[in-house]
């Protein structure tokens, strides 16, 4: 009897990866709702530009929510799907009653920084497990989000 899953990864490694990916999924879900809230509630002289930018961000985050959840399935595990799980697993906390444009941008910046931190951890676990699929996915996310972090930092001055 083999100790590998359907895609040829060691079952223990796949389980570790699924656990980390569920943590990532939780962070993406909480961050998505935060950015959605910034989009709805932002006020100030940069309203039009930030309102549009936040929509761009949350649209991308929602796509990644689906991609992360669907990466957990080939590993032989189930993605979490309850907000109570998201809140307990997430390093990103809920942003409530944030409407100042600069505060919203800082919230987006901090959210991306937390995602990059977690995705680097996953990249290491995936590399150790010879899981090219997960490594490639989170590597692409990191590359893209590092540029976003730089741009948000430049925006804030």
């Amino acid at each position: 009897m083999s100790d590998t899953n359907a895609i040829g990864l060691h079952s223990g490694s796949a389980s570790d990866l699924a656990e980390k990916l569920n943590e990532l999924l939780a962070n993406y879900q909480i961050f998505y709702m935060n950015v959605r809230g910034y989009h709805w509630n932002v006020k100030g002289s940069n309203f039009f530009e930030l309102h549009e930018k936040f929509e761009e961000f949350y649209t991308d985050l929602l796509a990644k929510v689906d991609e992360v959840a669907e990466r957990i399935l080939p590993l032989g595990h189930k993605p979490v799907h309850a907000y109570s799980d998201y809140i307990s697993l997430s390093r990103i906390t809920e942003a409530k009653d944030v409407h100042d444009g600069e505060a919203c941008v800082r919230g987006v910046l901090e959210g991306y920084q937390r995602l990059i931190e977690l995705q680097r951890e996953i990249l290491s676990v995936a590399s150790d497990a010879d899981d090219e699929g997960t490594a490639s996915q989170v590597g692409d996310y990191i590359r893209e989000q590092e540029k976003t972090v730089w741009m948000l930092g430049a925006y804030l001055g």
Side-chain angles (χ1 to χ4, degrees):
M1 183 172 189
S2 176
D3 193 23
T4 59
N5 65 9
I7 60 172
L9 296 177
H10 182 272
S11 296
S13 296
S15 182
D16 293 343
L17 281 163
E19 183 177 324
K20 292 298 279 184
L21 287 169
N22 267 314
E23 182 182 350
L24 182 62
L25 177 61
N27 279 270
Y28 268 107
Q29 286 282 37
I30 298 298
F31 188 39
Y32 164 78
M33 286 308 302
N34 287 350
V35 177
R36 192 81 195 227
Y38 300 150
H39 168 78
W40 290 330
N41 297 304
V42 67
K43 294 182 181 357
S45 61
N46 294 329
F47 168 81
F48 290 106
E49 129 190 33
L50 291 177
H51 183 76
E52 186 175 319
K53 193 64 175 173
F54 295 150
E55 183 174 1
E56 178 185 320
F57 288 148
Y58 77 66
T59 300
D60 179 66
L61 291 167
L62 186 58
K64 286 179 173 56
V65 163
D66 193 53
E67 292 168 0
V68 171
E70 289 183 352
R71 181 63 197 159
I72 295 166
L73 294 165
L75 295 173
H77 295 269
K78 293 180 183 176
V80 295
H81 63 277
Y83 268 91
S84 57
D85 291 331
Y86 298 150
I87 290 169
S88 69
L89 291 172
S90 183
R91 298 177 190 183
I92 297 172
T93 58
E94 291 178 306
K96 297 180 181 180
D97 198 30
V98 179
H99 53 81
D100 172 72
E102 186 172 318
C104 293
V105 172
R106 287 192 192 287
V108 173
L109 174 61
E110 291 168 7
Y112 278 119
Q113 289 170 328
R114 295 298 77 72
L115 288 177
I116 291 169
E117 173 185 278
L118 178 54
Q119 289 165 159
R120 284 192 179 125
E121 293 172 18
I122 293 168
L123 190 59
S124 177
V125 174
S127 177
D128 290 346
D130 293 325
D131 180 2
E132 178 60 33
T134 300
S136 176
Q137 182 175 347
V138 298
D140 288 347
Y141 292 174
I142 291 167
R143 177 189 42 78
E144 176 184 310
Q145 292 164 1
E146 285 174 337
K147 183 175 180 181
T148 301
V149 164
W150 164 73
M151 294 172 82
L152 290 167
Y155 180 88
L156 290 169

